Amino acid sequence: VRAGCVSAKGSFVDLFKALVLGILQGATEFLPISSSGHLVLVPWWLNWSEPPLIFDVVVHLGTLMAVLVYFWRDWLALLRAGAHALRSRTVQDPDTRLLLLIVLGTVPAAVVGALLEDAFETTFSKPSLVAAFLLVTALLLFLSERVQSGRRGLEDLTTRDALVVGTAQALAILPGLSRSGSTIAAGIMRGLPRAVSARFSFLLATPIILGAGAKQGFDVITGAEEVSRALIGPLAVGFAAAAVVGFVCIWGLLRLLQRRRLYGFAAYCAVFGVLSLLVALFN
């Protein structure tokens, strides 16, 4: 069980912390700058204790709400196509094929998360390692922009594309290595345009965010951590902040990548990573 908790006395400070952490989760889950890295480094910079597990569950549900609301038409079409494919036992529809590629791309992260979660969890207490992986994120974003962007669409995705992007998502279990950054970069390196790569990244994120929230929720239900009534306010604030900010960031990033490159995000990760690494080493 993660040590520390958000104080539950209902004060403005508690709600403020919940708001900040909810905004961080909502923004960094989808922007290519690492949600895990920021949720470790920002409280460390501010000398805040880690929130309880239930707070992690709620803000994950907030980001899940954001991606489901934004892509509800896509997921409705994908699920309908999947149901039709099960009845007809054919895979001819483009939506059915995309759904199968999303399932295939999810497998690497599901396997790595199930087998190595405990091993990687120990790195969350080491800000220097998190900062170092932020530099890796910066490098991936920079290198992806050195590759000529292709013109393929989601309908042109191949099995190899799904496995490469899915493997990049699995590696993002390392805190500081951005999930969206690594998957978008992998898609670009496979010849996808930035906006198409980002769209596939967000669709691929949906089952992973759902799985992570379900796993954490199960830990709470089975008694890993008690939930206080006084936490209702901070939990509601964190959920709302993560959902709203997550939705806005998905909308903004998909439009930004139609005309802008990833160099700005790479520079941000590099600067934040270097500063955090220097502070961690000197401390």
Side-chain angles (χ1 to χ4, degrees):
V1 179
R2 299 175 63 184
C5 66
V6 174
S7 175
K9 300 193 181 292
S11 69
F12 172 78
V13 175
D14 300 326
L15 293 176
F16 176 72
K17 288 181 180 180
L19 177 64
V20 170
L21 294 177
I23 291 173
L24 276 176
Q25 174 66 26
T28 59
E29 182 68 49
F30 301 112
L31 297 181
I33 54 177
S34 179
S35 61
S36 61
H38 280 73
L39 291 176
V40 171
L41 292 175
V42 171
W44 173 70
W45 272 89
L46 298 175
N47 198 28
W48 289 355
S49 59
E50 293 184 32
L53 182 60
I54 183 61
F55 187 83
D56 283 351
V57 175
V58 168
V59 294
H60 267 95
L61 290 176
T63 51
L64 177 64
M65 176 68 70
V67 74
L68 287 176
V69 169
Y70 192 92
F71 291 107
W72 73 268
R73 290 185 179 88
D74 300 70
W75 276 110
L76 185 60
L78 290 171
L79 294 176
R80 282 177 174 173
H84 176 73
L86 288 175
R87 290 193 300 268
S88 63
R89 298 184 180 181
T90 60
V91 183
Q92 297 177 348
D93 187 273
D95 287 332
T96 304
R97 187 170 175 276
L98 178 57
L99 180 61
L100 290 176
L101 291 176
I102 290 173
V103 172
L104 180 63
T106 303
V107 170
V111 172
V112 170
L115 297 179
L116 302 176
E117 180 184 14
D118 292 338
F120 285 116
E121 183 72 18
T122 60
T123 63
F124 277 81
S125 62
K126 300 175 182 177
S128 58
L129 289 178
V130 176
F133 282 119
L134 266 181
L135 300 181
V136 176
T137 295
L139 180 62
L140 286 175
L141 296 176
F142 177 80
L143 291 177
S144 70
E145 288 294 353
R146 310 305 295 174
V147 177
Q148 182 66 36
S149 179
R151 297 183 177 180
R152 295 191 293 151
L154 286 179
E155 67 278 3
D156 301 315
L157 284 174
T158 66
T159 299
R160 183 173 294 182
D161 294 331
L163 285 174
V164 169
V165 177
T167 300
Q169 179 169 254
L171 294 175
I173 192 174
L174 294 163
L177 187 58
S178 169
R179 190 213 62 82
S180 62
S182 60
T183 51
I184 292 172
I188 294 173
M189 292 178 183
R190 289 293 302 166
L192 297 175
R194 296 178 196 86
V196 173
S197 183
R199 194 172 191 87
F200 184 62
S201 169
F202 294 150
L203 290 172
L204 194 63
T206 308
I208 289 298
I209 296 174
L210 177 61
K215 168 64 168 58
Q216 292 175 329
F218 178 78
D219 290 341
V220 171
I221 292 172
T222 53
E225 188 170 298
E226 294 183 1
V227 180
S228 168
R229 287 186 178 181
L231 276 174
I232 292 176
L235 291 177
V237 169
F239 174 86
V244 173
V245 173
F247 184 92
V248 171
C249 285
I250 295 172
W251 175 85
L253 186 63
L254 287 174
R255 281 154 181 76
L256 179 69
L257 293 182
Q258 291 177 355
R259 59 185 186 277
R260 300 289 183 182
R261 295 178 178 269
L262 293 166
Y263 289 129
F265 295 111
Y268 171 83
C269 289
V271 171
F272 189 35
V274 168
L275 289 176
S276 299
L277 190 58
L278 290 174
V279 171
L281 292 177
F282 281 109
N283 283 344

